[in-house]
Amino acid sequence: MALLSISSSRLYGILVACGLAWTGLVAYIVHDFGFIWYIALTDGIVSSILLAAACWLINNNLRYYQPGKGSYINLLMWCLSLAGICTAGCRWIIPYLSISTVYMHFLSQSLTIRFFTDFLAIGWMAMISMLWYSQQDHKQTEKRKSEAEKLARDAELYNLRQQLQPHFLFNSLNSINALIGFKPDEARKMIHQLSDFLRGTLKKDDQLLVPLNDELQHLNLYLDIEKVRFGHRLDTEISCDKHCGEGLLPSMLLQPIVENAIKFGLYDTTEKVTVSIRGEIEGNNLVIMVQNPYDPQTSRPKGTGFGLRGVQRRLYLLFARNDLMETHQNDNIFTTIIKIPQL
């Protein structure tokens, strides 16, 4: 199978070298039977040209037509026919170039062995061509499949991200509407923060992975908007060790997780709630933990909505793993843990 790993130009170079070697071998054998070098070389050159033409023909046919499992008999018939043509060509062409009664008798006696050697050579060429072109077809098919899967994956990722923004945008606009009447300054501040957040989101559209520091900086814009909405009721704690700031993660991955934490932490209580975000490097993974308190009697912390399911789906599409997000509930604390492999 080493043939499958070499380049096309190198393959043709090998075939040319084999043709020259075949010419030399035939000439040497004919000369060894006692004929002069002129006759021997004429025999070798004519035999090699005819054989090369037959090999080129079957190679060219197999480039555009790959026989199925039930069509190998057709390929065998091609090889037999081409071998017969090569043998007949030698029988009728060489006598015009070398007139010798003794050689004519030798040529007639050697037609059978010529036929079988030509058949074997053409058969080897057919096998090599089938392996080569089937491998090329397989590579092209895999390439098209990979490109199609990438397009589908990118389309789904884009769709997931497009679903994230309207949900947050509608909530923010409702809050701005509520603030306009009695807190116009806060409403204007929130509009500016929302503008900065959306502008940053647009800039991130073309970035697949971003450093954690950049993601946290963008997340702070979102948290500033939410703090305007909830006032003193929302507090956040963000802590990362010194090594994880440059760790890479999918852009806009944390926002739906934090939004989920705020939703289940604040919507059913009037007390102050702290949402904590911690990051660290564990082995070859960037691990981020988001925690929020919740009331198990009134909240549904498993996140049956789009947020956490969308995050898990994005992680699967990017890393082909379903074990990169975990959720835990303990002592009225809901914890979301995500692991991002550092490739």
Side-chain angles (χ1 to χ4, degrees), residues 25-73:
L25 178 62
V26 173
Y28 175 79
I29 293 173
V30 174
H31 178 71
D32 196 50
F33 274 91
F35 298 100
I36 62 174
W37 277 111
Y38 171 76
I39 295 176
L41 288 173
T42 300
D43 192 325
I45 293 172
V46 172
S47 299
S48 296
I49 291 175
L50 291 172
L51 183 60
C55 289
W56 175 85
L57 184 61
I58 198 163
N59 172 271
N60 198 56
N61 285 338
L62 289 173
R63 176 183 299 179
Y64 303 106
Y65 168 71
Q66 288 288 322
K69 293 183 178 180
S71 303
Y72 290 120
I73 186 65

mmCIF file of all heavy atoms in Angstrom, residues 25-73:
data_model
loop_
_atom_site.group_PDB
_atom_site.id
_atom_site.type_symbol
_atom_site.label_atom_id
_atom_site.label_comp_id
_atom_site.label_asym_id
_atom_site.label_seq_id
_atom_site.Cartn_x
_atom_site.Cartn_y
_atom_site.Cartn_z
ATOM 1 N N LEU A 25 15.546 -5.158 -20.662
ATOM 2 C CA LEU A 25 15.435 -6.582 -20.354
ATOM 3 C C LEU A 25 15.111 -7.391 -21.598
ATOM 4 O O LEU A 25 15.719 -8.452 -21.862
ATOM 5 C CB LEU A 25 14.365 -6.785 -19.283
ATOM 6 C CG LEU A 25 14.080 -8.238 -18.864
ATOM 7 C CD1 LEU A 25 15.333 -8.868 -18.254
ATOM 8 C CD2 LEU A 25 12.912 -8.302 -17.880
ATOM 9 N N VAL A 26 14.140 -6.920 -22.405
ATOM 10 C CA VAL A 26 13.775 -7.624 -23.632
ATOM 11 C C VAL A 26 14.963 -7.675 -24.592
ATOM 12 O O VAL A 26 15.267 -8.716 -25.199
ATOM 13 C CB VAL A 26 12.558 -6.962 -24.291
ATOM 14 C CG1 VAL A 26 12.291 -7.585 -25.667
ATOM 15 C CG2 VAL A 26 11.329 -7.082 -23.397
ATOM 16 N N ALA A 27 15.646 -6.534 -24.751
ATOM 17 C CA ALA A 27 16.805 -6.498 -25.648
ATOM 18 C C ALA A 27 17.892 -7.456 -25.175
ATOM 19 O O ALA A 27 18.521 -8.167 -25.987
ATOM 20 C CB ALA A 27 17.347 -5.071 -25.729
ATOM 21 N N TYR A 28 18.125 -7.502 -23.888
ATOM 22 C CA TYR A 28 19.158 -8.400 -23.355
ATOM 23 C C TYR A 28 18.785 -9.867 -23.597
ATOM 24 O O TYR A 28 19.649 -10.683 -23.982
ATOM 25 C CB TYR A 28 19.336 -8.153 -21.860
ATOM 26 C CG TYR A 28 20.303 -9.113 -21.203
ATOM 27 C CD1 TYR A 28 21.674 -8.936 -21.326
ATOM 28 C CD2 TYR A 28 19.817 -10.204 -20.472
ATOM 29 C CE1 TYR A 28 22.560 -9.826 -20.734
ATOM 30 C CE2 TYR A 28 20.690 -11.090 -19.881
ATOM 31 C CZ TYR A 28 22.063 -10.903 -20.017
ATOM 32 O OH TYR A 28 22.929 -11.805 -19.449
ATOM 33 N N ILE A 29 17.521 -10.228 -23.391
ATOM 34 C CA ILE A 29 17.101 -11.617 -23.592
ATOM 35 C C ILE A 29 17.230 -12.010 -25.064
ATOM 36 O O ILE A 29 17.736 -13.092 -25.388
ATOM 37 C CB ILE A 29 15.647 -11.812 -23.099
ATOM 38 C CG1 ILE A 29 15.584 -11.648 -21.562
ATOM 39 C CG2 ILE A 29 15.113 -13.179 -23.516
ATOM 40 C CD1 ILE A 29 14.185 -11.666 -21.005
ATOM 41 N N VAL A 30 16.779 -11.124 -25.983
ATOM 42 C CA VAL A 30 16.879 -11.426 -27.417
ATOM 43 C C VAL A 30 18.348 -11.546 -27.832
ATOM 44 O O VAL A 30 18.740 -12.449 -28.592
ATOM 45 C CB VAL A 30 16.157 -10.343 -28.238
ATOM 46 C CG1 VAL A 30 16.389 -10.566 -29.738
ATOM 47 C CG2 VAL A 30 14.662 -10.358 -27.930
ATOM 48 N N HIS A 31 19.177 -10.639 -27.332
ATOM 49 C CA HIS A 31 20.608 -10.707 -27.648
ATOM 50 C C HIS A 31 21.231 -11.984 -27.090
ATOM 51 O O HIS A 31 22.147 -12.571 -27.713
ATOM 52 C CB HIS A 31 21.309 -9.473 -27.081
ATOM 53 C CG HIS A 31 22.788 -9.482 -27.304
ATOM 54 N ND1 HIS A 31 23.364 -9.296 -28.555
ATOM 55 C CD2 HIS A 31 23.829 -9.659 -26.430
ATOM 56 C CE1 HIS A 31 24.675 -9.359 -28.444
ATOM 57 N NE2 HIS A 31 24.984 -9.572 -27.158
ATOM 58 N N ASP A 32 20.752 -12.423 -25.951
ATOM 59 C CA ASP A 32 21.293 -13.632 -25.333
ATOM 60 C C ASP A 32 20.985 -14.877 -26.157
ATOM 61 O O ASP A 32 21.672 -15.903 -26.023
ATOM 62 C CB ASP A 32 20.710 -13.778 -23.916
ATOM 63 C CG ASP A 32 21.504 -14.762 -23.069
ATOM 64 O OD1 ASP A 32 22.744 -14.625 -23.013
ATOM 65 O OD2 ASP A 32 20.872 -15.666 -22.470
ATOM 66 N N PHE A 33 19.935 -14.777 -27.001
ATOM 67 C CA PHE A 33 19.625 -15.890 -27.887
ATOM 68 C C PHE A 33 20.514 -15.882 -29.146
ATOM 69 O O PHE A 33 20.341 -16.712 -30.028
ATOM 70 C CB PHE A 33 18.155 -15.849 -28.299
ATOM 71 C CG PHE A 33 17.241 -16.531 -27.321
ATOM 72 C CD1 PHE A 33 16.650 -15.823 -26.277
ATOM 73 C CD2 PHE A 33 16.983 -17.898 -27.428
ATOM 74 C CE1 PHE A 33 15.815 -16.461 -25.375
ATOM 75 C CE2 PHE A 33 16.147 -18.526 -26.520
ATOM 76 C CZ PHE A 33 15.554 -17.819 -25.483
ATOM 77 N N GLY A 34 21.421 -14.964 -29.254
ATOM 78 C CA GLY A 34 22.390 -14.970 -30.339
ATOM 79 C C GLY A 34 22.149 -13.954 -31.424
ATOM 80 O O GLY A 34 22.891 -13.949 -32.428
ATOM 81 N N PHE A 35 21.191 -13.068 -31.264
ATOM 82 C CA PHE A 35 20.913 -12.063 -32.283
ATOM 83 C C PHE A 35 21.746 -10.804 -32.020
ATOM 84 O O PHE A 35 22.116 -10.504 -30.869
ATOM 85 C CB PHE A 35 19.421 -11.728 -32.318
ATOM 86 C CG PHE A 35 18.555 -12.899 -32.672
ATOM 87 C CD1 PHE A 35 17.888 -13.624 -31.695
ATOM 88 C CD2 PHE A 35 18.433 -13.304 -33.997
ATOM 89 C CE1 PHE A 35 17.094 -14.704 -32.029
ATOM 90 C CE2 PHE A 35 17.636 -14.381 -34.335
ATOM 91 C CZ PHE A 35 16.970 -15.097 -33.348
ATOM 92 N N ILE A 36 21.981 -10.038 -33.080
ATOM 93 C CA ILE A 36 22.779 -8.829 -32.939
ATOM 94 C C ILE A 36 21.997 -7.781 -32.151
ATOM 95 O O ILE A 36 20.774 -7.836 -32.032
ATOM 96 C CB ILE A 36 23.186 -8.285 -34.331
ATOM 97 C CG1 ILE A 36 21.949 -7.904 -35.151
ATOM 98 C CG2 ILE A 36 24.049 -9.304 -35.075
ATOM 99 C CD1 ILE A 36 22.281 -7.233 -36.472
ATOM 100 N N TRP A 37 22.748 -6.771 -31.654
ATOM 101 C CA TRP A 37 22.125 -5.767 -30.803
ATOM 102 C C TRP A 37 21.083 -4.936 -31.550
ATOM 103 O O TRP A 37 20.109 -4.494 -30.954
ATOM 104 C CB TRP A 37 23.189 -4.835 -30.222
ATOM 105 C CG TRP A 37 23.844 -5.409 -29.009
ATOM 106 C CD1 TRP A 37 25.125 -5.845 -28.898
ATOM 107 C CD2 TRP A 37 23.232 -5.603 -27.727
ATOM 108 N NE1 TRP A 37 25.374 -6.324 -27.623
ATOM 109 C CE2 TRP A 37 24.208 -6.177 -26.879
ATOM 110 C CE3 TRP A 37 21.956 -5.382 -27.204
ATOM 111 C CZ2 TRP A 37 23.960 -6.515 -25.557
ATOM 112 C CZ3 TRP A 37 21.708 -5.711 -25.892
ATOM 113 C CH2 TRP A 37 22.696 -6.268 -25.067
ATOM 114 N N TYR A 38 21.271 -4.739 -32.843
ATOM 115 C CA TYR A 38 20.279 -3.977 -33.607
ATOM 116 C C TYR A 38 18.923 -4.658 -33.559
ATOM 117 O O TYR A 38 17.891 -4.022 -33.278
ATOM 118 C CB TYR A 38 20.732 -3.817 -35.063
ATOM 119 C CG TYR A 38 19.654 -3.233 -35.953
ATOM 120 C CD1 TYR A 38 19.338 -1.878 -35.909
ATOM 121 C CD2 TYR A 38 18.924 -4.058 -36.823
ATOM 122 C CE1 TYR A 38 18.340 -1.353 -36.708
ATOM 123 C CE2 TYR A 38 17.919 -3.537 -37.627
ATOM 124 C CZ TYR A 38 17.628 -2.182 -37.566
ATOM 125 O OH TYR A 38 16.630 -1.663 -38.352
ATOM 126 N N ILE A 39 18.926 -5.972 -33.812
ATOM 127 C CA ILE A 39 17.665 -6.731 -33.770
ATOM 128 C C ILE A 39 17.109 -6.750 -32.347
ATOM 129 O O ILE A 39 15.901 -6.576 -32.121
ATOM 130 C CB ILE A 39 17.887 -8.162 -34.300
ATOM 131 C CG1 ILE A 39 18.260 -8.128 -35.783
ATOM 132 C CG2 ILE A 39 16.636 -9.013 -34.079
ATOM 133 C CD1 ILE A 39 18.588 -9.485 -36.368
ATOM 134 N N ALA A 40 17.986 -6.952 -31.374
ATOM 135 C CA ALA A 40 17.543 -7.024 -29.978
ATOM 136 C C ALA A 40 16.923 -5.709 -29.519
ATOM 137 O O ALA A 40 15.864 -5.683 -28.882
ATOM 138 C CB ALA A 40 18.720 -7.409 -29.081
ATOM 139 N N LEU A 41 17.587 -4.584 -29.853
ATOM 140 C CA LEU A 41 17.056 -3.278 -29.449
ATOM 141 C C LEU A 41 15.760 -2.950 -30.182
ATOM 142 O O LEU A 41 14.841 -2.351 -29.599
ATOM 143 C CB LEU A 41 18.096 -2.191 -29.698
ATOM 144 C CG LEU A 41 19.292 -2.179 -28.749
ATOM 145 C CD1 LEU A 41 20.335 -1.182 -29.194
ATOM 146 C CD2 LEU A 41 18.822 -1.876 -27.318
ATOM 147 N N THR A 42 15.697 -3.324 -31.485
ATOM 148 C CA THR A 42 14.455 -3.104 -32.225
ATOM 149 C C THR A 42 13.294 -3.844 -31.572
ATOM 150 O O THR A 42 12.196 -3.290 -31.392
ATOM 151 C CB THR A 42 14.622 -3.571 -33.679
ATOM 152 O OG1 THR A 42 15.677 -2.834 -34.293
ATOM 153 C CG2 THR A 42 13.326 -3.359 -34.453
ATOM 154 N N ASP A 43 13.530 -5.098 -31.214
ATOM 155 C CA ASP A 43 12.504 -5.905 -30.537
ATOM 156 C C ASP A 43 12.102 -5.253 -29.207
ATOM 157 O O ASP A 43 10.915 -5.107 -28.890
ATOM 158 C CB ASP A 43 13.026 -7.315 -30.309
ATOM 159 C CG ASP A 43 11.933 -8.282 -29.877
ATOM 160 O OD1 ASP A 43 11.019 -7.862 -29.147
ATOM 161 O OD2 ASP A 43 11.985 -9.463 -30.284
ATOM 162 N N GLY A 44 13.105 -4.855 -28.428
ATOM 163 C CA GLY A 44 12.820 -4.271 -27.118
ATOM 164 C C GLY A 44 12.042 -2.973 -27.212
ATOM 165 O O GLY A 44 11.084 -2.740 -26.457
ATOM 166 N N ILE A 45 12.445 -2.097 -28.152
ATOM 167 C CA ILE A 45 11.771 -0.801 -28.279
ATOM 168 C C ILE A 45 10.334 -0.965 -28.767
ATOM 169 O O ILE A 45 9.396 -0.364 -28.225
ATOM 170 C CB ILE A 45 12.576 0.109 -29.231
ATOM 171 C CG1 ILE A 45 13.915 0.477 -28.593
ATOM 172 C CG2 ILE A 45 11.774 1.354 -29.570
ATOM 173 C CD1 ILE A 45 14.852 1.209 -29.520
ATOM 174 N N VAL A 46 10.134 -1.787 -29.829
ATOM 175 C CA VAL A 46 8.781 -1.990 -30.352
ATOM 176 C C VAL A 46 7.887 -2.632 -29.303
ATOM 177 O O VAL A 46 6.736 -2.210 -29.086
ATOM 178 C CB VAL A 46 8.826 -2.839 -31.638
ATOM 179 C CG1 VAL A 46 7.411 -3.210 -32.074
ATOM 180 C CG2 VAL A 46 9.548 -2.096 -32.747
ATOM 181 N N SER A 47 8.399 -3.653 -28.613
ATOM 182 C CA SER A 47 7.607 -4.336 -27.573
ATOM 183 C C SER A 47 7.224 -3.362 -26.454
ATOM 184 O O SER A 47 6.092 -3.361 -25.974
ATOM 185 C CB SER A 47 8.401 -5.512 -27.000
ATOM 186 O OG SER A 47 8.694 -6.459 -27.997
ATOM 187 N N SER A 48 8.174 -2.533 -26.035
ATOM 188 C CA SER A 48 7.914 -1.598 -24.938
ATOM 189 C C SER A 48 6.925 -0.507 -25.343
ATOM 190 O O SER A 48 6.071 -0.110 -24.550
ATOM 191 C CB SER A 48 9.225 -0.964 -24.469
ATOM 192 O OG SER A 48 10.086 -1.940 -23.936
ATOM 193 N N ILE A 49 7.046 -0.008 -26.597
ATOM 194 C CA ILE A 49 6.106 1.025 -27.058
ATOM 195 C C ILE A 49 4.687 0.487 -27.100
ATOM 196 O O ILE A 49 3.733 1.139 -26.646
ATOM 197 C CB ILE A 49 6.537 1.560 -28.433
ATOM 198 C CG1 ILE A 49 7.831 2.367 -28.311
ATOM 199 C CG2 ILE A 49 5.427 2.409 -29.053
ATOM 200 C CD1 ILE A 49 8.389 2.836 -29.633
ATOM 201 N N LEU A 50 4.530 -0.729 -27.642
ATOM 202 C CA LEU A 50 3.195 -1.323 -27.697
ATOM 203 C C LEU A 50 2.643 -1.580 -26.294
ATOM 204 O O LEU A 50 1.464 -1.318 -26.010
ATOM 205 C CB LEU A 50 3.249 -2.626 -28.495
ATOM 206 C CG LEU A 50 3.504 -2.474 -29.996
ATOM 207 C CD1 LEU A 50 3.744 -3.857 -30.630
ATOM 208 C CD2 LEU A 50 2.336 -1.791 -30.678
ATOM 209 N N LEU A 51 3.496 -2.100 -25.421
ATOM 210 C CA LEU A 51 3.055 -2.367 -24.047
ATOM 211 C C LEU A 51 2.730 -1.068 -23.318
ATOM 212 O O LEU A 51 1.745 -0.993 -22.570
ATOM 213 C CB LEU A 51 4.135 -3.147 -23.303
ATOM 214 C CG LEU A 51 3.802 -3.561 -21.861
ATOM 215 C CD1 LEU A 51 2.555 -4.450 -21.841
ATOM 216 C CD2 LEU A 51 4.985 -4.285 -21.222
ATOM 217 N N ALA A 52 3.550 -0.021 -23.527
ATOM 218 C CA ALA A 52 3.292 1.266 -22.883
ATOM 219 C C ALA A 52 1.965 1.854 -23.357
ATOM 220 O O ALA A 52 1.203 2.436 -22.572
ATOM 221 C CB ALA A 52 4.430 2.231 -23.167
ATOM 222 N N ALA A 53 1.675 1.712 -24.658
ATOM 223 C CA ALA A 53 0.407 2.213 -25.190
ATOM 224 C C ALA A 53 -0.769 1.478 -24.561
ATOM 225 O O ALA A 53 -1.791 2.088 -24.210
ATOM 226 C CB ALA A 53 0.379 2.064 -26.704
ATOM 227 N N ALA A 54 -0.636 0.155 -24.413
ATOM 228 C CA ALA A 54 -1.705 -0.635 -23.791
ATOM 229 C C ALA A 54 -1.897 -0.237 -22.332
ATOM 230 O O ALA A 54 -3.033 -0.096 -21.844
ATOM 231 C CB ALA A 54 -1.384 -2.119 -23.915
ATOM 232 N N CYS A 55 -0.780 -0.034 -21.608
ATOM 233 C CA CYS A 55 -0.874 0.357 -20.197
ATOM 234 C C CYS A 55 -1.485 1.752 -20.063
ATOM 235 O O CYS A 55 -2.292 2.002 -19.163
ATOM 236 C CB CYS A 55 0.512 0.324 -19.555
ATOM 237 S SG CYS A 55 1.174 -1.343 -19.326
ATOM 238 N N TRP A 56 -1.097 2.663 -20.960
ATOM 239 C CA TRP A 56 -1.683 4.008 -20.917
ATOM 240 C C TRP A 56 -3.181 3.949 -21.167
ATOM 241 O O TRP A 56 -3.959 4.645 -20.518
ATOM 242 C CB TRP A 56 -1.024 4.889 -21.978
ATOM 243 C CG TRP A 56 -1.667 6.241 -22.066
ATOM 244 C CD1 TRP A 56 -1.397 7.335 -21.301
ATOM 245 C CD2 TRP A 56 -2.726 6.626 -22.960
ATOM 246 N NE1 TRP A 56 -2.201 8.384 -21.650
ATOM 247 C CE2 TRP A 56 -3.040 7.980 -22.675
ATOM 248 C CE3 TRP A 56 -3.424 5.967 -23.948
ATOM 249 C CZ2 TRP A 56 -4.021 8.667 -23.359
ATOM 250 C CZ3 TRP A 56 -4.403 6.665 -24.642
ATOM 251 C CH2 TRP A 56 -4.698 7.996 -24.348
ATOM 252 N N LEU A 57 -3.597 3.107 -22.115
ATOM 253 C CA LEU A 57 -5.012 3.003 -22.453
ATOM 254 C C LEU A 57 -5.829 2.485 -21.280
ATOM 255 O O LEU A 57 -6.872 3.051 -20.940
ATOM 256 C CB LEU A 57 -5.182 2.087 -23.670
ATOM 257 C CG LEU A 57 -6.620 1.938 -24.214
ATOM 258 C CD1 LEU A 57 -7.156 3.291 -24.671
ATOM 259 C CD2 LEU A 57 -6.659 0.933 -25.361
ATOM 260 N N ILE A 58 -5.334 1.435 -20.636
ATOM 261 C CA ILE A 58 -6.125 0.884 -19.524
ATOM 262 C C ILE A 58 -6.078 1.811 -18.322
ATOM 263 O O ILE A 58 -7.056 1.946 -17.573
ATOM 264 C CB ILE A 58 -5.641 -0.537 -19.175
ATOM 265 C CG1 ILE A 58 -6.726 -1.244 -18.369
ATOM 266 C CG2 ILE A 58 -4.330 -0.514 -18.374
ATOM 267 C CD1 ILE A 58 -6.559 -2.738 -18.330
ATOM 268 N N ASN A 59 -4.951 2.508 -18.136
ATOM 269 C CA ASN A 59 -4.864 3.485 -17.054
ATOM 270 C C ASN A 59 -5.833 4.632 -17.280
ATOM 271 O O ASN A 59 -6.528 5.080 -16.355
ATOM 272 C CB ASN A 59 -3.427 3.997 -16.952
ATOM 273 C CG ASN A 59 -3.291 5.156 -15.967
ATOM 274 O OD1 ASN A 59 -3.438 6.310 -16.319
ATOM 275 N ND2 ASN A 59 -2.995 4.828 -14.724
ATOM 276 N N ASN A 60 -5.900 5.114 -18.514
ATOM 277 C CA ASN A 60 -6.794 6.220 -18.832
ATOM 278 C C ASN A 60 -8.263 5.823 -18.686
ATOM 279 O O ASN A 60 -9.097 6.618 -18.239
ATOM 280 C CB ASN A 60 -6.512 6.696 -20.258
ATOM 281 C CG ASN A 60 -7.066 8.087 -20.516
ATOM 282 O OD1 ASN A 60 -6.744 9.030 -19.800
ATOM 283 N ND2 ASN A 60 -7.892 8.210 -21.533
ATOM 284 N N ASN A 61 -8.595 4.585 -19.070
ATOM 285 C CA ASN A 61 -9.974 4.111 -18.910
ATOM 286 C C ASN A 61 -10.362 4.016 -17.443
ATOM 287 O O ASN A 61 -11.469 4.407 -17.042
ATOM 288 C CB ASN A 61 -10.149 2.755 -19.584
ATOM 289 C CG ASN A 61 -10.216 2.872 -21.100
ATOM 290 O OD1 ASN A 61 -10.533 3.925 -21.628
ATOM 291 N ND2 ASN A 61 -9.905 1.790 -21.804
ATOM 292 N N LEU A 62 -9.435 3.489 -16.616
ATOM 293 C CA LEU A 62 -9.741 3.321 -15.202
ATOM 294 C C LEU A 62 -9.777 4.656 -14.464
ATOM 295 O O LEU A 62 -10.318 4.738 -13.367
ATOM 296 C CB LEU A 62 -8.713 2.392 -14.550
ATOM 297 C CG LEU A 62 -8.821 0.926 -14.970
ATOM 298 C CD1 LEU A 62 -7.655 0.121 -14.417
ATOM 299 C CD2 LEU A 62 -10.142 0.320 -14.486
ATOM 300 N N ARG A 63 -9.203 5.699 -15.053
ATOM 301 C CA ARG A 63 -9.300 7.022 -14.442
ATOM 302 C C ARG A 63 -10.750 7.507 -14.420
ATOM 303 O O ARG A 63 -11.178 8.189 -13.481
ATOM 304 C CB ARG A 63 -8.436 8.017 -15.215
ATOM 305 C CG ARG A 63 -8.556 9.458 -14.708
ATOM 306 C CD ARG A 63 -7.739 10.402 -15.555
ATOM 307 N NE ARG A 63 -6.325 10.052 -15.523
ATOM 308 C CZ ARG A 63 -5.386 10.711 -16.210
ATOM 309 N NH1 ARG A 63 -5.724 11.726 -16.988
ATOM 310 N NH2 ARG A 63 -4.123 10.338 -16.125
ATOM 311 N N TYR A 64 -11.512 7.165 -15.438
ATOM 312 C CA TYR A 64 -12.889 7.651 -15.553
ATOM 313 C C TYR A 64 -13.925 6.573 -15.295
ATOM 314 O O TYR A 64 -15.108 6.871 -15.181
ATOM 315 C CB TYR A 64 -13.109 8.237 -16.953
ATOM 316 C CG TYR A 64 -12.149 9.342 -17.293
ATOM 317 C CD1 TYR A 64 -11.100 9.135 -18.178
ATOM 318 C CD2 TYR A 64 -12.285 10.587 -16.698
ATOM 319 C CE1 TYR A 64 -10.204 10.150 -18.476
ATOM 320 C CE2 TYR A 64 -11.392 11.613 -16.992
ATOM 321 C CZ TYR A 64 -10.352 11.387 -17.885
ATOM 322 O OH TYR A 64 -9.470 12.394 -18.163
ATOM 323 N N TYR A 65 -13.488 5.323 -15.231
ATOM 324 C CA TYR A 65 -14.449 4.239 -15.016
ATOM 325 C C TYR A 65 -13.851 3.228 -14.055
ATOM 326 O O TYR A 65 -12.840 2.590 -14.352
ATOM 327 C CB TYR A 65 -14.793 3.550 -16.331
ATOM 328 C CG TYR A 65 -15.554 2.242 -16.145
ATOM 329 C CD1 TYR A 65 -16.880 2.248 -15.715
ATOM 330 C CD2 TYR A 65 -14.938 1.014 -16.391
ATOM 331 C CE1 TYR A 65 -17.568 1.065 -15.531
ATOM 332 C CE2 TYR A 65 -15.618 -0.176 -16.200
ATOM 333 C CZ TYR A 65 -16.933 -0.143 -15.777
ATOM 334 O OH TYR A 65 -17.610 -1.324 -15.576
ATOM 335 N N GLN A 66 -14.459 3.120 -12.874
ATOM 336 C CA GLN A 66 -14.041 2.134 -11.890
ATOM 337 C C GLN A 66 -15.023 0.978 -11.906
ATOM 338 O O GLN A 66 -16.205 1.157 -11.617
ATOM 339 C CB GLN A 66 -14.005 2.752 -10.483
ATOM 340 C CG GLN A 66 -12.866 3.724 -10.257
ATOM 341 C CD GLN A 66 -11.524 3.028 -10.152
ATOM 342 O OE1 GLN A 66 -11.414 1.952 -9.575
ATOM 343 N NE2 GLN A 66 -10.504 3.632 -10.742
ATOM 344 N N PRO A 67 -14.569 -0.214 -12.291
ATOM 345 C CA PRO A 67 -15.497 -1.350 -12.364
ATOM 346 C C PRO A 67 -16.045 -1.721 -11.000
ATOM 347 O O PRO A 67 -15.336 -1.646 -9.991
ATOM 348 C CB PRO A 67 -14.632 -2.473 -12.945
ATOM 349 C CG PRO A 67 -13.237 -2.107 -12.592
ATOM 350 C CD PRO A 67 -13.186 -0.607 -12.617
ATOM 351 N N GLY A 68 -17.327 -2.111 -10.975
ATOM 352 C CA GLY A 68 -17.934 -2.576 -9.735
ATOM 353 C C GLY A 68 -17.511 -3.994 -9.414
ATOM 354 O O GLY A 68 -16.746 -4.630 -10.145
ATOM 355 N N LYS A 69 -18.036 -4.494 -8.287
ATOM 356 C CA LYS A 69 -17.645 -5.831 -7.859
ATOM 357 C C LYS A 69 -18.017 -6.900 -8.875
ATOM 358 O O LYS A 69 -17.337 -7.909 -8.992
ATOM 359 C CB LYS A 69 -18.296 -6.148 -6.503
ATOM 360 C CG LYS A 69 -17.769 -5.285 -5.360
ATOM 361 C CD LYS A 69 -18.400 -5.681 -4.036
ATOM 362 C CE LYS A 69 -17.821 -4.845 -2.894
ATOM 363 N NZ LYS A 69 -18.418 -5.201 -1.585
ATOM 364 N N GLY A 70 -19.080 -6.691 -9.606
ATOM 365 C CA GLY A 70 -19.508 -7.688 -10.573
ATOM 366 C C GLY A 70 -18.973 -7.450 -11.972
ATOM 367 O O GLY A 70 -19.360 -8.156 -12.907
ATOM 368 N N SER A 71 -18.079 -6.455 -12.119
ATOM 369 C CA SER A 71 -17.603 -6.096 -13.455
ATOM 370 C C SER A 71 -16.124 -6.395 -13.658
ATOM 371 O O SER A 71 -15.535 -5.945 -14.636
ATOM 372 C CB SER A 71 -17.856 -4.601 -13.706
ATOM 373 O OG SER A 71 -19.225 -4.294 -13.559
ATOM 374 N N TYR A 72 -15.507 -7.144 -12.753
ATOM 375 C CA TYR A 72 -14.084 -7.430 -12.896
ATOM 376 C C TYR A 72 -13.814 -8.325 -14.105
ATOM 377 O O TYR A 72 -12.701 -8.322 -14.636
ATOM 378 C CB TYR A 72 -13.532 -8.073 -11.623
ATOM 379 C CG TYR A 72 -13.454 -7.118 -10.460
ATOM 380 C CD1 TYR A 72 -14.157 -7.350 -9.280
ATOM 381 C CD2 TYR A 72 -12.675 -5.965 -10.549
ATOM 382 C CE1 TYR A 72 -14.080 -6.479 -8.221
ATOM 383 C CE2 TYR A 72 -12.602 -5.076 -9.490
ATOM 384 C CZ TYR A 72 -13.310 -5.339 -8.339
ATOM 385 O OH TYR A 72 -13.237 -4.451 -7.289
ATOM 386 N N ILE A 73 -14.801 -9.092 -14.522
ATOM 387 C CA ILE A 73 -14.622 -9.935 -15.706
ATOM 388 C C ILE A 73 -14.378 -9.053 -16.937
ATOM 389 O O ILE A 73 -13.602 -9.424 -17.835
ATOM 390 C CB ILE A 73 -15.856 -10.862 -15.911
ATOM 391 C CG1 ILE A 73 -15.600 -11.844 -17.045
ATOM 392 C CG2 ILE A 73 -17.112 -10.031 -16.152
ATOM 393 C CD1 ILE A 73 -14.504 -12.828 -16.777
#
